[in-house]
Amino acid sequence: MNFCVLIPARMASTRLPGKVLLDVGGLPMIEQVRRRALESGAARVVVATDHEEVMACVQDFGGEAVATDPSHHCGSERLAEAARLLALPDEAIIVNLQGDEPLMDPALLAATAALLETHPHCPMATAAVPIRTWSELANPHVVKVVMDRQDRALYFSRAPIPWDREHFPLDDDAPLPGAYWRHLGLYAYRSAFLQTYAAWAPTPLERGESLEQLRVLEHGVGIAVHRGSAAPAAGVDTAADLERLRAHFSSSPKEM
């Protein structure tokens, strides 16, 4: 199927400023991310950034970048501006790949984009993978999602959902008493809906959980969810994450 990948890339990261330009496996992180996007089969890959250094870096590697406003509340708003600047048609399928996810599985990008064809009433799609342990389920940095029988999102939360009142909380070595799903920060949208999203103000649940996708559910719009089998390696938020990622690339030269 035909889709494009847009990569939001801010310089002013709260916990690790300038992280998208830091060296990972001999390349800037944003270039590693861009290469994963190209491996997905996307027809076009564009970095949407708020900083001229990021734009110059992408262009130095022969990539495409577009300058966006630094004041956006979230990545989806940044991509809405990028889609307008690139004059993408309303029916275009856009995949949002975060600029700090250099180990994202390219197949997940394609699978998430494909959901918009199999779920024609959902203008947005995302992905989730199984949660295996109580510590992961209880971790507020792990976003959870519950779905209906048609694999549409019912809710996203940093809290453990659904809450099993007969069993929770658990010791970490106890098996989970059901199926629980971790949300991955990967999205696909139809271009026209991305503009609709950006026109909405942030909503109470979105602000409370700090989860941009809740803006969509609060407006009664469906989000299709691809059920993956295993999570890709985590993205980079801290200096410790960066060292973990560098160690991965040092032991896997083929990733370069």
Side-chain angles (χ1 to χ4, degrees), residues 143-154:
V143 178
K144 278 68 70 171
V145 57
V146 290
M147 290 91 80
D148 67 15
R149 294 185 178 184
Q150 285 74 48
D151 288 340
R152 296 172 302 199
L154 293 171

Side-chain angles (χ1 to χ4, degrees), residues 211-255:
L211 297 174
E212 64 185 278
Q213 65 271 31
L214 289 176
R215 190 185 310 185
V216 180
L217 297 187
E218 285 192 78
H219 281 275
V221 176
I223 302 176
V225 183
H226 169 71
R227 296 180 189 244
S229 58
V236 178
D237 287 320
T238 66
D241 293 336
L242 179 64
E243 291 312 307
R244 168 188 50 78
L245 187 66
R246 285 172 170 168
H248 170 88
F249 276 93
S250 294
S251 63
S252 304
K254 65 178 183 291
E255 296 280 0

Side-chain angles (χ1 to χ4, degrees), residues 83-222:
R84 291 194 303 272
L85 293 172
L86 296 168
L88 297 180
D90 286 350
E91 66 275 11
I93 293 177
I94 297 169
V95 174
N96 177 348
L97 174 60
Q98 303 298 321
D100 59 2
E101 295 275 1
L103 295 180
M104 179 60 70
D105 181 359
L108 268 177
L109 305 183
T112 303
L115 280 185
L116 296 182
E117 291 190 342
T118 58
H119 292 71
H121 299 298
C122 293
M124 182 172 171
T126 191
V129 295
I131 291 174
R132 307 295 186 188
T133 65
W134 168 253
S135 61
E136 186 180 10
L137 186 62
N139 185 347
H141 299 297
V142 173
V143 178
K144 278 68 70 171
V145 57
V146 290
M147 290 91 80
D148 67 15
R149 294 185 178 184
Q150 285 74 48
D151 288 340
R152 296 172 302 199
L154 293 171
Y155 192 65
F156 300 85
S157 182
R158 298 184 182 279
I161 57 170
W163 182 266
D164 187 330
R165 66 178 185 173
E166 298 296 327
H167 297 93
F168 290 168
L170 296 174
D171 294 327
D172 193 45
D173 57 355
L176 292 177
Y180 299 87
W181 293 89
R182 175 178 187 157
H183 174 242
L184 303 179
L186 174 68
Y187 303 104
Y189 334 74
R190 294 188 181 89
S191 183
F193 174 70
L194 193 51
Q195 303 308 317
T196 299
Y197 176 95
W200 291 331
T203 53
L205 291 176
E206 174 190 3
R207 290 194 297 267
E209 296 257 20
S210 190
L211 297 174
E212 64 185 278
Q213 65 271 31
L214 289 176
R215 190 185 310 185
V216 180
L217 297 187
E218 285 192 78
H219 281 275
V221 176

